[in-house]
Amino acid sequence: MMRPDPEQAFRQTGWPGLRARLFHLYFVVRRPMTLGVRGLIHDRTSNSVFLIRHTYVPGWQLPGGGVELGETMIEALARELSEEGNIALTAPPVLKSMHFNRRASRRDHVGLYLVEQFNQTAPKQPDREVAAAGFFPLDRLPEGTTPATLRRIAEIFSGAAASPFW
C-alpha cells in the first residue's frame, strides 16, 4: 500500500501554482541554475523560531528567497529577512547546509543559514507577499508547518542528519 505524500497538502495548485511555475520558468530562462537562501531565525531567550506564511503558497516556513544577480547569499538573506520579517542581522549568519530543491525544479538549490544574532525593528504586518509571521516556541510550532521546515529545524536542533534535498 502506498503511503500518502506528506508534502501533497503544500503543493501549489490552481493560479498560485501556475504563477509560481511561470515565475520559476522566467528564472530558468534567465539563469540556468537558481539559488536561494533561507534563514532559521532562532531567539535563544524564548527558544523560538521565526516563521512566515506566504499569500501564494500554503504552510508556515522559514523566511528567504532567491539570490539576485550580483548579490551574495548573505546579501540576499539580509534583504529577504528585512522584507519578510523586519529582521536585521547584527552578526554574520552561519551557513549550516545546502539543499537541492527538486520540488521547485531540477536546477534549484537552497542555502540554509542559522541566525541567532539579529534585531527585529518592528513586528511584521501582513502585506501582499506575507500573510502572517511570528516567533513560535520550538515545542509549539504552528499547525501547517511545512515538512521541509520541520526537517531543517530537526537538523539544527535535534541533531538529525542534514538531507541533501530541501
Side-chain angles (χ1 to χ4, degrees):
M1 183 170 160
M2 280 186 47
R3 302 175 95 190
D5 182 354
E7 301 207 14
Q8 182 63 38
F10 299 95
R11 289 213 172 96
Q12 301 169 16
T13 60
W15 169 242
L18 177 60
R19 181 175 65 178
R21 283 192 280 295
L22 289 172
F23 183 73
H24 199 78
L25 178 61
Y26 166 77
F27 281 103
V28 167
V29 170
R30 297 244 359 242
R31 295 178 262 178
M33 185 180 97
T34 56
L35 179 63
V37 290
R38 294 283 177 124
L40 200 165
I41 314 305
H42 179 229
D43 182 340
R44 286 189 212 152
T45 305
S46 62
N47 198 30
S48 60
V49 294
F50 185 78
L51 300 176
I52 63 169
R53 192 168 43 83
H54 282 112
T55 58
Y56 51 89
V57 292
W60 288 92
Q61 53 196 285
L62 301 170
V67 178
E68 299 296 332
L69 290 174
E71 198 174 44
T72 68
M73 290 174 67
I74 291 177
E75 289 169 340
L77 180 66
R79 176 180 49 76
E80 290 290 344
L81 295 181
S82 176
E83 292 172 1
E84 295 184 346
N86 296 327
I87 292 174
L89 299 173
T90 59
V94 178
L95 179 63
K96 297 302 279 187
S97 52
M98 291 293 296
H99 305 269
F100 172 39
N101 188 4
R102 61 186 174 189
R103 293 225 182 255
S105 80
R106 297 180 313 172
R107 308 163 186 260
D108 192 47
H109 294 78
V110 179
L112 175 69
Y113 284 89
L114 177 61
V115 177
E116 293 186 301
Q117 296 179 1
F118 63 92
N119 285 328
Q120 187 176 38
T121 58
K124 176 62 179 170
Q125 299 300 314
D127 59 26
R128 285 185 4 192
E129 182 182 2
V130 177
F135 282 91
F136 298 90
L138 283 170
D139 61 354
R140 291 191 310 273
L141 297 174
E143 185 176 326
T145 300
T146 66
T149 300
L150 294 172
R151 286 192 297 270
R152 300 299 81 79
I153 291 170
E155 290 164 2
I156 299 299
F157 297 111
S158 299
S163 170
F165 303 103
W166 185 254

